[in-house]
Amino acid sequence: MDKFVDERDYKLIENNNKYTFFVLKRILETECRVLLTDHEKLIICHTSNPFPVWVWTPDDASEEELENAYKLIDESVPIKDGYTYNLKYDLAEYIIKKEAEAGNSVSIKTNMFAYDCPESIVPHKEAEGSIHHCTVEDIDELTELIDLFHKEIGIDEESLDEYRRNAKEQVDSGIVYFWKDETGRTVACCNWRPVGEPNSKDSMASIGLVYTREEDRRKNYAENLVYQVTEITRKAGYLPMLYTNADYLASNACYEKIGYILRGKLCTIGLE
């Protein structure tokens, strides 16, 4: 196993699972704490805690390949140490079975859908208020919303200092937006992160940090905000995509209404 990636790894993802493993492709370009690949059948990647380990395997992985993946994962980022994994369902089921044989209870924490949006559909209902491009004056409020977002989804939770650093990075990069109601109060947020050169065949961008304050839901704020950020992403030369929790039926219906199409599925597993 090598500890570096090259064009072979990017082609594996692009040719097989460009949507479900879009984020893996993005983080392979950053500094990783653990990176193992054979450039053909297995990629293991972890940036840092509390983020999950990403594991790519082919769709037709054999029993032998699943066993090899399991052993390498257990050696480098063992589940008993509290790591969680984003991976395909066949490998998830294999790991759950092997850990059960060892007396450990592992389960699926999140079922994820991957969508893209080749063409947007204007929201049926227009929300009151308007989109707002975040500036340095919004960092405090963005930090608060990032905290609320992670508390609600219950994963990748960090300290307020980390959220503030992240908020500043997003504002500096110009990738984050609020929706403000007719009174000017911030009610929702959303961001986008590009990969690849704009207008190239593999240029994509993930829509994320989609959060509406609890007291402001069911007013079409998120639908209108995501639609407008999707259009900003497209005009910048990227194909918009996003991940959702498959069990959040209302959110998924919202995305589908504005043109998002289901392209792939994966899951997150960890110790119970």
Side-chain angles (χ1 to χ4, degrees), residues 22-176:
F22 171 80
V23 166
L24 173 59
K25 184 178 179 181
R26 189 179 76 205
I27 64 177
L28 286 176
E29 300 174 351
T30 65
E31 185 175 348
C32 300
R33 190 185 69 82
V34 174
L35 178 58
L36 296 171
T37 176
D38 63 4
H39 314 289
E40 183 180 1
K41 296 287 186 179
L42 179 64
I43 303 172
I44 302 172
C45 179
H46 184 237
T47 52
S48 61
N49 291 325
F51 304 108
V53 178
W54 282 83
V55 184
W56 179 88
T57 48
D59 290 336
D60 58 351
S62 66
E63 184 90 1
E64 181 181 353
E65 289 163 353
L66 293 175
E67 175 65 16
N68 179 57
Y70 171 67
K71 287 181 177 178
L72 285 168
I73 292 168
D74 191 52
E75 289 171 4
S76 56
V77 279
I79 204 164
K80 65 178 180 291
D81 287 351
Y83 291 101
T84 59
Y85 312 133
N86 286 344
L87 31 60
K88 295 178 181 177
Y89 280 92
D90 57 350
L91 180 56
E93 291 167 358
Y94 190 86
I95 292 174
I96 289 171
K97 180 186 72 173
K98 296 292 288 188
E99 289 294 326
E101 292 170 357
N104 299 320
S105 184
V106 174
S107 63
I108 293 176
K109 302 296 184 184
T110 308
N111 296 290
M112 290 190 288
F113 284 167
Y115 289 85
D116 79 341
C117 186
E119 184 176 354
S120 300
I121 299 171
V122 177
H124 179 65
K125 293 183 178 180
E126 186 175 344
E128 295 181 342
S130 60
I131 192 170
H132 168 78
H133 197 176
C134 293
T135 67
V136 291
E137 286 78 16
D138 300 307
I139 289 177
D140 286 347
E141 191 163 31
L142 179 57
T143 300
E144 176 198 3
L145 290 172
I146 293 172
D147 182 39
L148 291 171
F149 169 81
H150 284 283
K151 284 178 178 175
E152 178 158 307
I153 64 174
I155 59 175
D156 302 345
E157 294 187 62
E158 298 183 282
S159 68
L160 282 175
D161 287 341
E162 284 297 315
Y163 291 151
R164 181 176 296 279
R165 180 189 60 78
N166 183 261
K168 184 178 185 305
E169 287 178 355
Q170 292 188 51
V171 167
D172 290 345
S173 299
I175 61 169
V176 62

Side-chain angles (χ1 to χ4, degrees), residues 235-260:
K235 289 174 184 176
Y238 296 91
L239 173 65
M241 68 84 59
L242 54 78
Y243 291 101
T244 72
N245 185 322
D247 301 319
Y248 287 0
L249 301 181
S251 295
N252 295 337
C254 164
Y255 299 133
E256 291 169 5
K257 285 179 183 177
I258 58 175
Y260 279 86

